[in-house]
């Protein structure tokens, strides 16, 4: 669980005021670590702040996205917004059976994509970053 001082520092570096609500919400998101929904973050922080509304959680999470503290993660069915506090370059594997989102890093894949984009070029568009979202199901092998 991140300390409130750490969370306040993250907010300050992102140019956001470190209100008590924002500290709780960002701390709750960081504690969950596995691409939670706003509802999951709300449940996480409701223990400490039972009067905090779900709308406030959504508003705070959206402000974190705009500030670059958090990324919004797309899911295949689009049913719920999911959030990722890891803003470093990486991809996502989405399991349709469990709804789990796994982070995936592969420098070789990144290099292939960069080479592909450079070779193709885009008219009136310069890509700055990319992220793959791969949908499938985890395969469970029996012994």
């Amino acid at each position: 669980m991140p300390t409130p001082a750490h969370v306040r520092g993250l907010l300050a570096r992102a140019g956001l005021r470190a209100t008590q609500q924002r500290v709780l919400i960002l701390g709750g998101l960081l504690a969950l670590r596995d691409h939670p929904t706003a509802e999951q973050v709300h449940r996480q922080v409701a223990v400490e702040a039972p009067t905090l509304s779900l709308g406030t959680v959504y508003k705070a999470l959206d402000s974190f996205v705009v500030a670059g503290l958090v990324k919004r993660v797309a899911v295949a069915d689009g049913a719920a917004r999911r959030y990722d506090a890891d803003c470093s370059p990486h991809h996502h594997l989405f399991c349709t059976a469990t709804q789990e989102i796994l982070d995936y890093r592969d420098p070789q894949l990144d290099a292939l994509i960069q080479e592909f984009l450079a070779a193709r070029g885009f008219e009136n568009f310069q890509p700055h970053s990319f992220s793959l979202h791969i949908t499938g199901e985890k395969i469970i092998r029996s012994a």
Side-chain angles (χ1 to χ4, degrees), residues 59 67 72 83 92 141:
K59 185 177 176 181
R72 191 175 293 122
Y83 298 89
H92 292 111
R141 303 187 193 281

Side-chain angles (χ1 to χ4, degrees), residues 48-110:
E48 282 189 61
T51 60
L52 187 71
S53 74
L54 179 58
T56 299
V57 172
Y58 270 108
K59 185 177 176 181
L61 290 171
D62 287 343
S63 71
F64 300 160
V65 169
V66 170
L69 270 174
V70 170
K71 288 185 179 180
R72 191 175 293 122
V73 179
V75 293
D77 63 4
R81 289 188 234 171
R82 306 274 292 265
Y83 298 89
D84 190 353
D86 180 356
C87 291
S88 67
H90 65 280
H91 310 290
H92 292 111
L93 305 175
F94 178 72
C95 178
T96 55
T98 65
Q99 304 297 297
E100 183 178 10
I101 299 174
L102 304 168
D103 289 338
Y104 179 72
R105 289 174 175 78
D106 186 328
Q108 186 178 5
L109 175 62
D110 293 347

Side-chain angles (χ1 to χ4, degrees), residues 10-83:
L10 292 172
L11 290 165
R13 283 190 292 284
L16 296 172
R17 283 187 328 118
T19 65
Q20 182 180 9
Q21 292 175 331
R22 284 182 177 157
V23 170
L24 281 172
I25 294 165
L26 184 56
L29 173 68
L30 292 169
L32 290 170
R33 293 189 147 175
D34 54 355
H35 311 91
T37 64
E39 289 80 5
Q40 290 169 321
V41 174
H42 183 250
R43 282 193 297 275
Q44 175 79 12
V45 299
V47 175
E48 282 189 61
T51 60
L52 187 71
S53 74
L54 179 58
T56 299
V57 172
Y58 270 108
K59 185 177 176 181
L61 290 171
D62 287 343
S63 71
F64 300 160
V65 169
V66 170
L69 270 174
V70 170
K71 288 185 179 180
R72 191 175 293 122
V73 179
V75 293
D77 63 4
R81 289 188 234 171
R82 306 274 292 265
Y83 298 89

Side-chain angles (χ1 to χ4, degrees), residues 102-124:
L102 304 168
D103 289 338
Y104 179 72
R105 289 174 175 78
D106 186 328
Q108 186 178 5
L109 175 62
D110 293 347
L112 285 171
I113 293 170
Q114 287 170 341
E115 288 170 19
F116 177 86
L117 294 173
R120 295 293 191 276
F122 295 96
E123 189 175 325
N124 300 319

